[in-house]
């Protein structure tokens, strides 16, 4: 019932509160998730605050009397960017005037709990507006998806669970938005700035240990530059220092994977690639001693679309590479599109015409040209095909939390 201006004030205050607590939140996030403290401090938490600032703006600009909050919203999020995923969900819902029940991932609930504590302690939101429920997916997530009094569910996670959520939501036909898996291609043309492409492809797959739904996990490089690009990426892979996320002084650049389950899964995919005949150029090694789940940055060659680890989402620091031998853009696009996913892609070329033609042919919700993993709260993000439906960020995201009502008055 709050006015748009009132909601906006709450969201600005929340953003400032997050900034004030950013050190504590960064440390908590690194301890919980394992990623390097430099990343939580310089990337995750600043993006969280920015996201609240951005949506505070939308809230105040909602002058339309025909848009109404959708109601009670259930939000289920994963462990790869725990607080950022919470922000992507909470900020637009509050901006739209909805109430929220958030379920963080069982592996990483701490930062969302701390955020709620901060909000409660400061008396920032009216009681009951933001609620956090922790627990396992089947025990705490599934009841949200099926609950008859929840009007909308927003989910980020695996495609497999996304399908379960869709089924569970059918009881009351609640609105569903899904941000699911990916197997994003990075396509390098021979006229690209090759040094920039090498850097971009490497960070596209290795950022956040490859535990990123839009990771550029399949490299397609033109045969004229394939060797140079793969060798360059392999060099970077070799140079990345793997170690505990809190060991900033020792220069840890990549932490452990989030859990033993994830470690086993990634190692299993590396083994399956080798069995299918792929060649490991660098990495392929892993260390699960002392309770750490370390997987070294890995690049495979001699891979093709028939291999399981080229088709399925690995969600780890593992890059598969293929040569582009054909200059026809349609055939390049059909190889790049040859997966059930359609979340993102990057295209590397100095020819703006080639880049845009490729962008048009790629079936994905995000196409980066000469960059990868670039995000902004104003840019809508989401998937084609089995990467989900609906968009997060941008005004598109506000639409997820609003109903349109036409009231006609006979004067
Ligand atoms: P991942 O495989 O990356 O761990 P999941 O899709 O399993 O991703 O998990 C993402 C989120 O979905 C987590 O919060 C998890 O607890 C939740 N979840 C898992 N299974 C279900 C389910 N059957 N119903 C609702 N939520 C679930």
């Amino acid at each position: 019932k709050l006015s748009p201006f009132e909601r906006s004030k709450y969201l600005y205050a929340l953003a400032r509160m997050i900034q004030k607590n950013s050190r504590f939140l960064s440390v908590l996030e690194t301890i919980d998730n394992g990623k390097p403290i430099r990343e939580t401090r310089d990337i995750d938490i600043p993006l969280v605050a920015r996201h609240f600032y951005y949506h505070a703006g939308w809230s105040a600009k909602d002058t339309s009397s025909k848009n109404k909050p959708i109601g009670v919203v259930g939000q289920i999020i994963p462990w790869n960017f725990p607080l950022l995923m919470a922000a992507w969900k909470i900020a637009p819902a509050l901006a739209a005037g909805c109430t929220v029940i958030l379920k963080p991932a069982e592996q990483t609930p701490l930062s969302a709990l701390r955020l709620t504590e901060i909000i409660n302690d400061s008396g920032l939101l009216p009681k009951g507006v933001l609620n956090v429920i922790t627990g396992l997916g089947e025990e705490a997530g599934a009841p949200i998806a099926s609950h008859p009094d929840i009007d909308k569910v927003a989910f980020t996670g695996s495609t497999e669970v996304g399908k379960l959520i869709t089924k569970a939501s059918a009881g009351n036909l609640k609105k569903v938005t899904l941000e699911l898996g990916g197997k994003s291609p990075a396509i390098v043309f021979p006229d690209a700035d090759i040094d920039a492409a090498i850097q971009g492809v490497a960070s596209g797959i290795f950022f956040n240990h490859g535990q990123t739904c839009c990771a550029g996990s399949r490299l397609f490089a033109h045969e004229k530059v394939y060797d140079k690009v793969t060798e360059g990426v392999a060099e970077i892979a070799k140079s990345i220092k793997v170690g505990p996320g809190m060991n900033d002084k020792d220069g840890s650049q990549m932490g452990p994977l989030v859990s033993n389950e994830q470690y086993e899964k990634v190692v299993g995919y590396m083994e399956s690639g080798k069995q299918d005949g792929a060649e490991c150029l660098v990495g392929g090694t892993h260390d699960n001693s002392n309770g750490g789940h370390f997987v070294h940055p890995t690049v495979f060659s001699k891979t093709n679309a028939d291999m399981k680890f080229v088709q399925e989402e690995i969600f780890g620091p593992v890059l598969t590479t293929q040569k582009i031998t054909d200059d026809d853009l349609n055939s390049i696009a059909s190889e790049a599109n040859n997966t059930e996913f359609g979340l993102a892609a990057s295209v590397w070329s100095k020819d703006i015409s080639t880049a845009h033609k490729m962008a048009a042919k790629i079936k994905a919700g995000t196409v980066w040209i000469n960059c990868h993993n670039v995000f902004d709260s104003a840019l809508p993000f989401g998937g084609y095909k089995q990467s989900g439906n609906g968009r997060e960020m941008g005004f598109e995201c506000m639409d997820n939390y609003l109903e349109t009502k036409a009231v006609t008055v006979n004067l």
Side-chain angles (χ1 to χ4, degrees), residues 76-79 103-106 136-137 141-142 155-158 161 164-165:
I76 302 170
I77 56 170
W79 45 258
K103 194 201 90 62
E106 54 270 33
L136 300 174
F155 171 76
T156 298
S158 60
V161 174
L164 294 176
I165 302 249

Side-chain angles (χ1 to χ4, degrees), residues 11 51 55 75 86-98 392-393 397-398 401:
L11 284 162
H51 206 67
H55 282 287
Q75 305 181 317
W88 280 23
K89 295 278 183 279
I90 297 169
L94 296 184
C98 296
E392 304 208 81
M393 305 201 282
C397 185
M398 292 289 292
Y401 296 102

